Amino acid sequence: MNKNRDVAAEEQSGALMADVARLAGVAISTVSRALANPGRVNEKTRAKINAAAKQLGYTPNAMARGLRVGKSNIIMIILPGSLYYGVSQIIPQVLQSINKSLIQGGYNLMIANLDRDEISERHILDLAFGGSVRGAIILSSKLPEVDGRSLASSGLPIVSMLLDMSDAGLQSVVTNDREAVRDVTAELIRLGHRRFFYLAGPEGNYHDVERYGGVLEALEAAGLSAESVRRSGGRLDYQHGFDIGVQAADDFAGLDEKPTAVIATSDDMAISFVSCIKRAGLSIPDDLSVVSFDGSPVCEFSSPPLSTIEQPVEEMGRAAVDLLLDALGQSQNPASAPTVIRSRLILRESVAPPKS
């Protein structure tokens, strides 16, 4: 790293901080505390400092500040929402994989949030701009942005996991959503299914676009029309998978011509859907085949054991950490393509040929 450039960056940061202090009518040290440790400054003063910083377009230089206080060995992970994520168990598995890889690399993991409301977004940005962390891994969600501050402009290396953000210049680690769902749909077609019911995540969501696209590609390859699949859902987030499955069971009951195979885009959706369908008197897989996405361990112990597309979360976690650690101390170059790690289909008793 160029020492003169670092000193210049630090001096520029200090000069801008002084401007913020003058405009807000406070000491430079108060500005520094407000940006690095907001909880140590009262709310009224913090609001004045934030307003002044916004007016001046001031972005604290976390890298320059790191030269003064020493580099952090903390990597923060940004969750898409609550740590409780139904029964999918994907988030805990991801955290375990990332934590193990970081410890091996000499770094510590910090969970930056348990929600994605405005307070949490501000906290994430304060950590990023305050020099408390060396890098960030963001799970299946967009970058935090509040009042003109965005994680993208924090100067931190960032890796997106489970969501392809390579178009925005971020290193991304994903699985082959589209191909995996295309292949399982093709397998259902091979077994003789011709009418499908798709349980969707929020419309326009990356995962839903990719997974539903896989269904349509398989139908087209088999000479079947898009009308061969009926959709349910599209409004609620994946964290409400149980509710999506319950609503889908109601939608299924209202169809005149019943599909013979269900493709659910999360295990949670499939489990609640199957529960409702069985209470209505249908049998899985005799009346209806069901396959889901995620690969939660609980699927093996469902009744019947649930076929699922297992996401390679351990491999993805290791890949995300490798990319992030490679980027530490370097200028992050825009990623030309995501790192894709293939999922695998686990066929269990919930899938069978349709009744003739």
Side-chain angles (χ1 to χ4, degrees):
M1 188 175 288
N2 187 296
K3 184 175 180 180
N4 291 334
R5 188 187 308 133
D6 295 337
V7 172
E10 182 174 355
E11 291 174 349
Q12 181 185 32
S13 177
L16 287 171
M17 190 178 290
D19 293 337
V20 173
R22 280 193 294 272
L23 184 59
V26 299
I28 294 177
S29 60
T30 304
V31 174
S32 179
R33 281 197 303 274
L35 294 172
N37 296 286
R40 296 176 57 194
V41 179
N42 69 65
E43 185 176 351
K44 183 177 179 181
T45 301
R46 193 166 66 245
K48 289 166 57 179
I49 291 170
N50 287 339
K54 184 177 180 181
Q55 181 177 334
L56 293 172
Y58 172 70
T59 298
N61 191 321
M63 297 305 290
R65 181 161 47 252
L67 294 170
R68 296 194 299 273
V69 301
K71 292 181 178 180
S72 166
N73 72 336
I74 296 173
I75 303 298
M76 71 172 170
I77 190 161
I78 302 166
L79 303 179
S82 171
L83 187 62
Y84 173 75
Y85 205 73
V87 300
S88 72
Q89 302 174 34
I90 288 298
I91 298 300
Q93 287 178 308
V94 168
L95 292 175
Q96 184 177 37
S97 174
I98 289 174
N99 185 57
K100 182 179 179 180
S101 295
L102 284 175
I103 288 174
Q104 291 173 346
Y107 290 84
N108 295 318
L109 177 66
M110 171 195 288
I111 297 175
N113 65 304
L114 291 176
D115 209 337
R116 290 301 294 270
D117 56 14
E118 186 173 329
I119 293 175
S120 298
E121 301 290 271
R122 289 184 184 279
H123 175 65
I124 293 167
L125 292 171
D126 288 339
L127 290 171
F129 285 101
S132 301
V133 297
R134 288 287 302 281
I137 296 174
I138 182 166
L139 296 185
S140 193
S141 53
K142 298 295 186 181
L143 296 176
E145 184 172 345
V146 179
D147 291 339
R149 280 199 306 172
S150 171
L151 188 65
S153 59
S154 67
L156 293 178
I158 304 167
V159 173
S160 173
M161 183 172 167
L162 300 172
L163 177 64
D164 183 6
M165 298 185 68
S166 55
D167 286 348
L170 293 187
Q171 298 280 358
S172 300
V173 180
V174 298
T175 191
N176 56 332
D177 292 59
R178 182 179 293 255
E179 180 185 13
V181 175
R182 183 180 67 222
D183 289 349
V184 77
T185 305
E187 174 63 16
L188 291 167
I189 293 171
R190 187 191 67 78
L191 290 172
H193 294 279
R194 296 296 181 269
R195 298 190 305 277
F196 300 89
F197 195 52
Y198 176 86
L199 277 57
E203 190 171 355
N205 175 276
Y206 164 78
H207 299 294
D208 188 67
V209 169
E210 288 297 300
R211 295 170 191 176
Y212 189 61
V215 174
L216 296 180
E217 287 181 5
L219 293 177
E220 182 180 8
L224 301 173
S225 72
E227 284 70 36
S228 300
V229 58
R230 303 294 297 270
R231 283 175 61 97
S232 177
R235 296 176 298 278
L236 297 177
D237 191 79
Y238 285 102
Q239 292 195 51
H240 300 282
F242 290 138
D243 296 329
I244 294 172
V246 171
Q247 180 59 56
D250 288 341
D251 294 343
F252 182 87
L255 295 175
D256 293 330
E257 187 175 30
K258 297 291 192 290
T260 63
V262 173
I263 300 167
T265 54
S266 82
D267 295 333
D268 294 357
M269 297 178 194
I271 288 170
S272 59
F273 175 84
V274 167
S275 178
C276 293
I277 286 295
K278 289 174 65 178
R279 286 200 297 268
L282 293 179
S283 174
I284 309 296
D286 294 338
D287 298 313
L288 190 63
S289 286
V290 180
V291 64
S292 65
F293 202 108
D294 276 342
S296 307
V298 72
C299 292
E300 183 178 357
F301 304 99
S302 300
S303 181
L306 184 63
S307 299
T308 183
I309 297 169
E310 182 182 59
Q311 296 206 65
V313 290
E314 290 189 12
E315 297 92 330
M316 293 171 75
R318 289 196 297 268
V321 170
D322 288 346
L323 286 172
L324 187 65
L325 298 188
D326 285 346
L328 289 176
Q330 303 176 18
S331 296
Q332 193 169 17
N333 296 319
S336 58
T339 298
V340 180
I341 300 177
R342 295 175 61 84
S343 58
R344 70 184 183 108
L345 172 62
I346 302 174
L347 282 175
R348 298 192 176 104
E349 288 90 327
S350 67
V351 168
K355 288 181 178 178
S356 55

